[in-house]
Amino acid sequence: MPLFLPLWGGQIGFMRAGERRSADSVYNSTQIKLDIASPIVTSAIYQWKMQHYEIAANVQLAQRFFPTLELGYAGGRANRGDSIAYNGHGGFFRVGCDINPLKKHKDSPHALLVGIRIGTAVQGMEQTALKQTLTNQGVRADCWGEIVLGCQVEIAKVQQTAFYMGWMGRFKFLFTRQNEYTPAADQYAIYIPGFGNRDNIGWGLNYYLGWRF
């Protein structure tokens, strides 16, 4: 499989032609990545009632460090049993940094990535307690942290640009946690853009197509 073999195969220890100048400098490249998995997975889980879209950009420094910015938009309609109906949309962003721990092969075009993120989402929402027919409208903000693990693999190269694919797994922990004593009509949103279902702990998986320049 192309996602895994280049990380461990014989190519990993070799620098590509024309990349010597980049390897000797602090700044190496910039990458833009489009997540193609989240729209499909989110729509499938919520039966097309929810949407999730995101892109990411990072800068490669010293062949090993990847400061990263991720932007997205998500929302839709969801229910919590027969008690609460949620309708909301909003944007989110995450900032953080990844590191490539493969010290022996840091000059390879492929990378194993381990990192952290801080995420924030702001959404306009309407939430209804169905049994009491009470509706709460407003704008909510949430914040969370993530530990991420993934990889990226170069699949094609044209002169000084290259195309990538890769995945990123996420372990998420919410900072703005729900108060269980809050009345149902005033409860926090049951869905958070960029985070998912409002649980104290969550997870996520992205599959990216990217362009390096």
Side-chain angles (χ1 to χ4, degrees):
M1 295 291 294
L3 276 181
F4 301 100
L5 292 180
L7 282 174
W8 316 113
Q11 297 183 29
I12 199 167
F14 295 90
M15 184 181 299
R16 301 295 183 86
E19 293 183 351
R20 176 64 63 182
R21 180 185 60 81
S22 179
D24 292 339
S25 63
V26 175
Y27 169 80
N28 305 130
S29 64
T30 298
Q31 298 180 27
I32 297 176
K33 301 185 288 186
L34 174 65
D35 177 20
I36 63 174
S38 291
I40 299 172
V41 173
T42 301
S43 297
I45 292 175
Y46 293 98
Q47 300 178 348
W48 301 97
K49 295 179 181 180
M50 305 292 294
Q51 301 83 40
H52 180 117
Y53 309 99
E54 70 176 85
I55 61 173
N58 64 34
V59 177
Q60 184 179 8
L61 303 177
Q63 297 298 117
R64 186 171 294 167
F65 302 98
F66 297 83
T68 300
L69 171 65
E70 299 165 340
L71 302 171
Y73 178 85
R77 295 177 291 112
N79 288 351
R80 177 179 289 158
D82 60 354
S83 60
I84 298 176
Y86 158 85
N87 186 5
H89 294 83
F92 64 90
F93 72 90
R94 311 184 197 97
V95 294
C97 187
D98 299 329
I99 185 172
N100 180 9
L102 299 177
K103 296 181 180 181
K104 184 177 179 180
H105 306 300
K106 66 178 183 178
D107 296 333
S108 169
H110 319 298
L112 177 68
L113 300 175
V114 180
I116 59 173
R117 300 283 189 276
I118 297 295
T120 299
V122 178
Q123 63 172 318
M125 53 160 284
E126 177 182 282
Q127 195 153 270
T128 302
L130 299 176
K131 294 181 180 180
Q132 292 86 10
T133 64
L134 298 175
T135 298
N136 181 34
Q137 295 179 328
V139 177
R140 305 212 70 94
D142 289 282
C143 186
W144 67 93
E146 299 182 359
I147 299 173
V148 300
L149 172 66
C151 72
Q152 63 182 31
V153 176
E154 183 181 296
I155 57 175
K157 186 173 182 180
V158 180
Q159 295 182 351
Q160 296 302 312
T161 65
F163 297 92
Y164 283 79
M165 64 172 55
W167 56 265
M168 182 69 73
R170 304 174 182 274
F171 174 73
K172 309 176 183 182
F173 40 97
L174 194 60
F175 296 148
T176 51
R177 301 196 171 191
Q178 181 171 337
N179 185 341
E180 61 180 331
Y181 301 106
T182 302
D186 297 325
Q187 285 185 5
Y188 297 110
I190 65 175
Y191 182 87
I192 302 173
F195 185 88
N197 281 338
R198 187 179 189 90
D199 297 314
N200 291 337
I201 301 296
W203 63 275
L205 182 67
N206 305 98
Y207 189 84
Y208 291 107
L209 295 179
W211 174 48
R212 186 199 73 193
F213 58 94

Short mmCIF file of all heavy atoms in Angstrom, two decimals, residues 132-159:
data_model
loop_
_atom_site.label_atom_id
_atom_site.label_comp_id
_atom_site.label_asym_id
_atom_site.label_seq_id
_atom_site.Cartn_x
_atom_site.Cartn_y
_atom_site.Cartn_z
N GLN A 132 -40.40 19.87 26.59
CA GLN A 132 -40.89 21.14 27.14
C GLN A 132 -41.19 22.16 26.06
O GLN A 132 -41.65 23.26 26.35
CB GLN A 132 -39.86 21.73 28.11
CG GLN A 132 -39.66 20.94 29.38
CD GLN A 132 -38.63 19.84 29.22
OE1 GLN A 132 -37.93 19.78 28.21
NE2 GLN A 132 -38.54 18.96 30.20
N THR A 133 -40.87 21.82 24.80
CA THR A 133 -41.01 22.73 23.65
C THR A 133 -40.36 24.08 23.93
O THR A 133 -40.89 25.14 23.61
CB THR A 133 -42.49 22.93 23.27
OG1 THR A 133 -43.18 23.56 24.36
CG2 THR A 133 -43.14 21.60 22.92
N LEU A 134 -39.19 24.04 24.57
CA LEU A 134 -38.41 25.25 24.84
C LEU A 134 -37.25 25.32 23.88
O LEU A 134 -36.56 24.33 23.65
CB LEU A 134 -37.89 25.23 26.29
CG LEU A 134 -38.96 25.20 27.39
CD1 LEU A 134 -38.30 25.05 28.75
CD2 LEU A 134 -39.82 26.46 27.34
N THR A 135 -37.02 26.49 23.32
CA THR A 135 -35.97 26.67 22.33
C THR A 135 -34.95 27.68 22.82
O THR A 135 -35.32 28.76 23.32
CB THR A 135 -36.55 27.14 20.98
OG1 THR A 135 -37.44 26.13 20.49
CG2 THR A 135 -35.44 27.36 19.96
N ASN A 136 -33.69 27.34 22.68
CA ASN A 136 -32.58 28.21 23.06
C ASN A 136 -31.79 28.55 21.81
O ASN A 136 -31.34 27.66 21.09
CB ASN A 136 -31.69 27.52 24.09
CG ASN A 136 -30.53 28.40 24.51
OD1 ASN A 136 -30.67 29.61 24.59
ND2 ASN A 136 -29.40 27.78 24.78
N GLN A 137 -31.65 29.84 21.52
CA GLN A 137 -30.90 30.30 20.35
C GLN A 137 -29.73 31.16 20.82
O GLN A 137 -29.82 31.85 21.83
CB GLN A 137 -31.78 31.12 19.41
CG GLN A 137 -32.92 30.33 18.77
CD GLN A 137 -33.77 31.20 17.88
OE1 GLN A 137 -33.93 32.38 18.13
NE2 GLN A 137 -34.31 30.60 16.83
N GLY A 138 -28.66 31.13 20.05
CA GLY A 138 -27.52 31.96 20.41
C GLY A 138 -26.26 31.57 19.67
O GLY A 138 -26.29 30.78 18.72
N VAL A 139 -25.17 32.14 20.12
CA VAL A 139 -23.85 31.86 19.57
C VAL A 139 -23.01 31.24 20.67
O VAL A 139 -22.95 31.76 21.79
CB VAL A 139 -23.18 33.14 19.04
CG1 VAL A 139 -21.77 32.83 18.54
CG2 VAL A 139 -24.02 33.77 17.94
N ARG A 140 -22.37 30.11 20.36
CA ARG A 140 -21.59 29.40 21.37
C ARG A 140 -20.15 29.25 20.88
O ARG A 140 -19.88 29.09 19.69
CB ARG A 140 -22.18 28.03 21.65
CG ARG A 140 -23.64 28.05 22.04
CD ARG A 140 -23.96 26.94 22.99
NE ARG A 140 -23.37 27.17 24.30
CZ ARG A 140 -24.03 27.76 25.31
NH1 ARG A 140 -25.27 28.16 25.15
NH2 ARG A 140 -23.45 27.91 26.47
N ALA A 141 -19.22 29.27 21.82
CA ALA A 141 -17.80 29.05 21.54
C ALA A 141 -17.32 27.89 22.40
O ALA A 141 -17.70 27.77 23.57
CB ALA A 141 -16.98 30.30 21.83
N ASP A 142 -16.50 27.03 21.83
CA ASP A 142 -15.93 25.89 22.55
C ASP A 142 -14.45 25.78 22.24
O ASP A 142 -13.97 26.25 21.19
CB ASP A 142 -16.63 24.60 22.15
CG ASP A 142 -18.05 24.53 22.69
OD1 ASP A 142 -18.21 24.26 23.89
OD2 ASP A 142 -19.00 24.78 21.92
N CYS A 143 -13.73 25.14 23.15
CA CYS A 143 -12.28 24.99 23.00
C CYS A 143 -11.87 23.59 23.44
O CYS A 143 -12.44 23.04 24.38
CB CYS A 143 -11.55 26.06 23.83
SG CYS A 143 -9.76 26.10 23.60
N TRP A 144 -10.87 23.02 22.77
CA TRP A 144 -10.41 21.68 23.10
C TRP A 144 -8.94 21.50 22.72
O TRP A 144 -8.35 22.33 22.03
CB TRP A 144 -11.27 20.63 22.39
CG TRP A 144 -11.14 20.61 20.88
CD1 TRP A 144 -10.28 19.85 20.12
CD2 TRP A 144 -11.87 21.41 19.95
NE1 TRP A 144 -10.45 20.12 18.79
CE2 TRP A 144 -11.42 21.06 18.65
CE3 TRP A 144 -12.87 22.38 20.07
CZ2 TRP A 144 -11.93 21.66 17.50
CZ3 TRP A 144 -13.37 22.97 18.93
CH2 TRP A 144 -12.92 22.61 17.67
N GLY A 145 -8.36 20.41 23.18
CA GLY A 145 -6.99 20.04 22.82
C GLY A 145 -6.96 18.70 22.12
O GLY A 145 -7.90 17.90 22.24
N GLU A 146 -5.89 18.45 21.38
CA GLU A 146 -5.76 17.20 20.64
C GLU A 146 -4.32 16.69 20.68
O GLU A 146 -3.37 17.48 20.71
CB GLU A 146 -6.15 17.37 19.17
CG GLU A 146 -7.57 17.79 18.93
CD GLU A 146 -7.92 17.90 17.45
OE1 GLU A 146 -7.04 17.66 16.60
OE2 GLU A 146 -9.08 18.23 17.14
N ILE A 147 -4.19 15.39 20.69
CA ILE A 147 -2.92 14.71 20.41
C ILE A 147 -3.11 13.98 19.08
O ILE A 147 -4.09 13.26 18.90
CB ILE A 147 -2.55 13.72 21.52
CG1 ILE A 147 -2.39 14.46 22.85
CG2 ILE A 147 -1.28 12.95 21.17
CD1 ILE A 147 -2.18 13.54 24.04
N VAL A 148 -2.20 14.19 18.13
CA VAL A 148 -2.40 13.66 16.78
C VAL A 148 -1.24 12.75 16.39
O VAL A 148 -0.11 12.91 16.84
CB VAL A 148 -2.55 14.80 15.74
CG1 VAL A 148 -3.75 15.67 16.09
CG2 VAL A 148 -1.29 15.66 15.67
N LEU A 149 -1.56 11.79 15.53
CA LEU A 149 -0.57 10.85 15.00
C LEU A 149 -0.96 10.54 13.56
O LEU A 149 -2.12 10.22 13.27
CB LEU A 149 -0.55 9.57 15.82
CG LEU A 149 0.31 8.42 15.26
CD1 LEU A 149 1.79 8.80 15.27
CD2 LEU A 149 0.08 7.14 16.06
N GLY A 150 0.01 10.62 12.64
CA GLY A 150 -0.29 10.33 11.25
C GLY A 150 0.96 10.18 10.41
O GLY A 150 2.08 10.06 10.93
N CYS A 151 0.76 10.21 9.10
CA CYS A 151 1.89 10.13 8.17
C CYS A 151 1.53 10.86 6.89
O CYS A 151 0.35 11.11 6.61
CB CYS A 151 2.25 8.68 7.88
SG CYS A 151 1.06 7.82 6.83
N GLN A 152 2.54 11.21 6.12
CA GLN A 152 2.34 11.76 4.79
C GLN A 152 3.35 11.12 3.85
O GLN A 152 4.50 10.86 4.22
CB GLN A 152 2.47 13.28 4.79
CG GLN A 152 3.83 13.81 5.18
CD GLN A 152 3.86 15.33 5.21
OE1 GLN A 152 2.87 15.98 5.49
NE2 GLN A 152 5.01 15.91 4.89
N VAL A 153 2.90 10.85 2.62
CA VAL A 153 3.71 10.13 1.64
C VAL A 153 3.69 10.90 0.33
O VAL A 153 2.61 11.28 -0.16
CB VAL A 153 3.16 8.71 1.42
CG1 VAL A 153 3.95 7.99 0.32
CG2 VAL A 153 3.22 7.91 2.72
N GLU A 154 4.86 11.15 -0.23
CA GLU A 154 4.93 11.81 -1.54
C GLU A 154 4.54 10.82 -2.62
O GLU A 154 5.09 9.72 -2.72
CB GLU A 154 6.36 12.30 -1.79
CG GLU A 154 6.52 13.06 -3.10
CD GLU A 154 7.95 13.51 -3.33
OE1 GLU A 154 8.45 14.34 -2.53
OE2 GLU A 154 8.57 13.00 -4.28
N ILE A 155 3.56 11.20 -3.46
CA ILE A 155 3.08 10.30 -4.51
C ILE A 155 3.47 10.76 -5.90
O ILE A 155 3.44 9.97 -6.85
CB ILE A 155 1.54 10.14 -4.43
CG1 ILE A 155 0.85 11.50 -4.52
CG2 ILE A 155 1.15 9.42 -3.15
CD1 ILE A 155 -0.67 11.40 -4.58
N ALA A 156 3.85 12.02 -6.06
CA ALA A 156 4.27 12.51 -7.37
C ALA A 156 5.05 13.81 -7.17
O ALA A 156 4.82 14.54 -6.21
CB ALA A 156 3.08 12.76 -8.28
N LYS A 157 5.98 14.07 -8.12
CA LYS A 157 6.78 15.28 -8.04
C LYS A 157 6.97 15.86 -9.42
O LYS A 157 7.26 15.14 -10.38
CB LYS A 157 8.14 14.99 -7.39
CG LYS A 157 8.96 16.25 -7.14
CD LYS A 157 10.22 15.95 -6.35
CE LYS A 157 10.99 17.23 -6.09
NZ LYS A 157 12.22 16.97 -5.33
N VAL A 158 6.77 17.20 -9.51
CA VAL A 158 6.97 17.92 -10.75
C VAL A 158 7.88 19.09 -10.45
O VAL A 158 7.46 20.06 -9.80
CB VAL A 158 5.64 18.42 -11.35
CG1 VAL A 158 5.90 19.17 -12.65
CG2 VAL A 158 4.68 17.26 -11.57
N GLN A 159 9.15 19.00 -10.90
CA GLN A 159 10.16 20.00 -10.61
C GLN A 159 10.24 20.23 -9.09
O GLN A 159 10.56 19.33 -8.35
CB GLN A 159 9.85 21.29 -11.38
CG GLN A 159 9.94 21.10 -12.90
CD GLN A 159 9.68 22.37 -13.66
OE1 GLN A 159 9.26 23.39 -13.11
NE2 GLN A 159 9.93 22.34 -14.96
#
